[in-house]
Amino acid sequence: MALNVESAEQVVELLQESMTKLVVVDFYSTTCPPCRIVDGILDELTSQYLTVAFYKVDVGRFAEVAAQCRITATPTLQYFRNARKVNEVKGANKKAIVDAIDASLTGGGSGGSGSGEARSAYGVTGHADVTSTVVKAQSECLNQNDDHPLENVFKGDESYLESDVDEQLVLHIQFNQPIKLHSIMLKAPLDKAPRNIKLFANRTNLGFDDAETTPETQAIEMTEEVYKSGGVVNLRYVRFQNVNSLTIFVADNLEDDDVTAITQLAFIGTAVNTANMSDIRQGEEGH
């Protein structure tokens, strides 16, 4: 049968477990009749999929965990490999639940089947899109236009982040666990696209003056050609091996415009095994 999660710390442990196998997490409510149907389905599947780990999270007891995982309805089952979500099923549809297990087991990585194709994200082979580890509530942007805030770069739609009083931006990005950051991906309108960028790993509370004078972890010059070819920039990987937070200083843009804009920002790399979901309060019932 599926194991009930009894603490927020156990969420960290199951993410670590997903580095070596498929982990299925059932987010349920004690007042939800379809959730009881899923209980029966998982009881059956645990004996069929012996290499898959099944867990249950009470959304009433662990509301912050549910919010971090963007649970909007119960039952919702999320499937994790390599510390990232690879699939999701809402409702008590047994076929959908089983199909998602099978798809997740054959989707690459080291879990479940014991072999699989190499992961790839935005054309970067061997690494995954780890943007889902960004803690949006703990991330911020200095000099943003409040009508076009930082959160827009993570939506994947036509919305965008835009600077306010001038072209410069300072983005403070917080991750919910340490990551090995291999590349970043930027999409932006070419007339307002960032050009000179400084990256600071694990340096918090940097303002504009600090960003201009503090030695960076890496400096990047974006070009029109880079944006047109997908906007992916490989980093000096050895310098980004244990990144809990990243500060991004945008100094100017391609057209020297007074406004800088970014439509999408993504991070490509690998979750470090010693995950630390610091954004989830280390509480018990009622948190």
Side-chain angles (χ1 to χ4, degrees), residues 92-251:
N93 186 318
K94 180 179 179 180
K95 183 179 185 303
I97 293 171
V98 172
D99 287 348
I101 292 175
D102 292 337
S104 299
L105 287 172
T106 58
S110 59
S113 62
S115 63
E117 60 194 54
R119 291 174 295 161
S120 177
Y122 300 103
V124 181
T125 302
H127 295 275
D129 182 354
V130 294
T131 311
S132 62
T133 64
V134 172
V135 185
K136 299 177 183 63
Q138 296 179 19
S139 302
E140 64 174 347
C141 178
L142 305 182
N143 191 38
Q144 71 177 12
N145 181 333
D146 289 340
D147 291 331
H148 304 285
L150 173 62
E151 63 190 54
N152 289 345
V153 302
F154 302 117
K155 291 182 177 179
D157 55 21
E158 297 302 315
S159 60
Y160 54 92
L161 165 66
E162 185 178 79
S163 65
D164 190 11
V165 300
D166 60 21
E167 74 280 7
Q168 294 189 335
L169 293 165
V170 173
L171 287 67
H172 295 298
I173 306 298
Q174 181 67 46
F175 300 100
N176 66 19
Q177 58 185 292
I179 63 171
K180 296 181 179 181
L181 187 59
H182 182 277
S183 314
I184 64 170
M185 190 281 292
L186 281 168
K187 290 184 179 180
L190 290 179
D191 59 333
K192 295 180 174 63
R195 178 172 57 187
N196 289 297
I197 298 172
K198 289 184 178 182
L199 303 179
F200 302 87
N202 302 322
R203 294 294 302 269
T204 58
N205 302 318
L206 291 179
F208 288 99
D209 291 340
D210 301 317
E212 289 182 337
T213 59
T214 302
E216 68 276 0
T217 310
Q218 183 171 343
I220 298 170
E221 182 177 1
M222 300 291 290
T223 65
E224 183 175 337
E225 290 71 24
V226 172
Y227 284 110
K228 287 183 176 179
S229 63
V232 175
V233 177
N234 293 337
L235 305 181
R236 296 173 183 171
Y237 192 37
V238 68
R239 298 186 179 184
F240 297 88
Q241 287 295 293
N242 195 45
V243 180
N244 289 285
S245 66
L246 186 72
T247 297
I248 304 171
F249 171 53
V250 178

Side-chain angles (χ1 to χ4, degrees), residues 28-40 74-75 91-92:
Y28 73 96
S29 168
T30 57
T31 61
C32 163
C35 294
R36 290 191 284 273
I37 297 175
V38 171
D39 284 342
T74 56

